[in-house]
Amino acid sequence: MSKDTVGILALQGDFEMHRQMFSRLDVRTMLVRIPDDLNHVDRLVIPGGESSTMNLLMKRYNMMQPVIKFASDRPVWGTCAGLILLAAKIDDPQIQPLGLIDISASRNAYGRQIESFVAEGILRLDGNERAYEMVFIRAPKILSASDSVETLGWYENEITMAKQGRVLVTAFHPELTDDLTIHEYYLGV
Ligand code: GLN
């Protein structure tokens, strides 16, 4: 198992569920709230939640620049609201994203009617396609991704998982399933 300590940004959102997934994999985690916490972790997960609130709290706790610096040599994974914060471009001017992955995304893009749902998507993590159950909660859509972004998952025709270098994003919530596939994959990024 990985000897890394995975930091989980714990300013707001569903950080606890990520923590439980990593502990099922016997991987140590630490909740990250202030810049100094980043000195004690090897990886960072930005969980789902409310991206506008998380963005506000990150600014208040002076976390924006430290996270950008952290990502220059350590792997960062954002789920849902985390994807929104990691993106280069967001359709909501209220959000000032970190710009760590060259995608543009749209917040709450599935609309109010079907804001939360579980659906079978497709993953291609190792060259082979497989079905995977994706949990979406007021999920963002990835509108575009540059050529340097690797696409790894889809639901219908939308990209739902992507990676650029050591920055990984998922529009869905693997921490709300029993399936450890994506957490394991992230440990290899
Ligand atoms: N809709 C939320 C946002 O825009 C994200 C939802 C989530 O993380 N589950 O911040």
Side-chain angles (χ1 to χ4, degrees), residues 4 15 22 25 28-29 52 55 61 63 65 68 70 81 85 108 115 127 134 139 154 160:
D4 283 1
F15 50 88
F22 287 112
L25 289 166
R28 202 161 2 141
T29 55
S52 50
N55 198 196
Y61 288 84
M63 285 296 273
Q65 283 310 316
I68 291 170
F70 183 92
L85 292 172
N108 301 318
E115 55 180 28
M134 297 177 178
W154 299 263
T160 56

Side-chain angles (χ1 to χ4, degrees), residues 47-52 79-82 84 95 107-108 137-140 173:
E50 202 51 51
S51 54
S52 50
T79 53
C80 201
I84 294 167
I95 311 274
R107 279 186 84 192
N108 301 318
I137 304 174
R138 292 178 297 115
H173 289 266

Side-chain angles (χ1 to χ4, degrees), residues 119-126 128-134 152-155 172 179 181-182:
E120 191 173 287
I122 288 175
L123 293 183
R124 192 167 60 217
L125 302 182
D126 51 8
N128 299 313
E129 287 195 356
R130 53 161 286 197
Y132 175 90
E133 197 153 275
M134 297 177 178
L152 300 167
W154 299 263
Y155 163 62
F172 54 90
D179 192 329
T181 304
I182 313 283

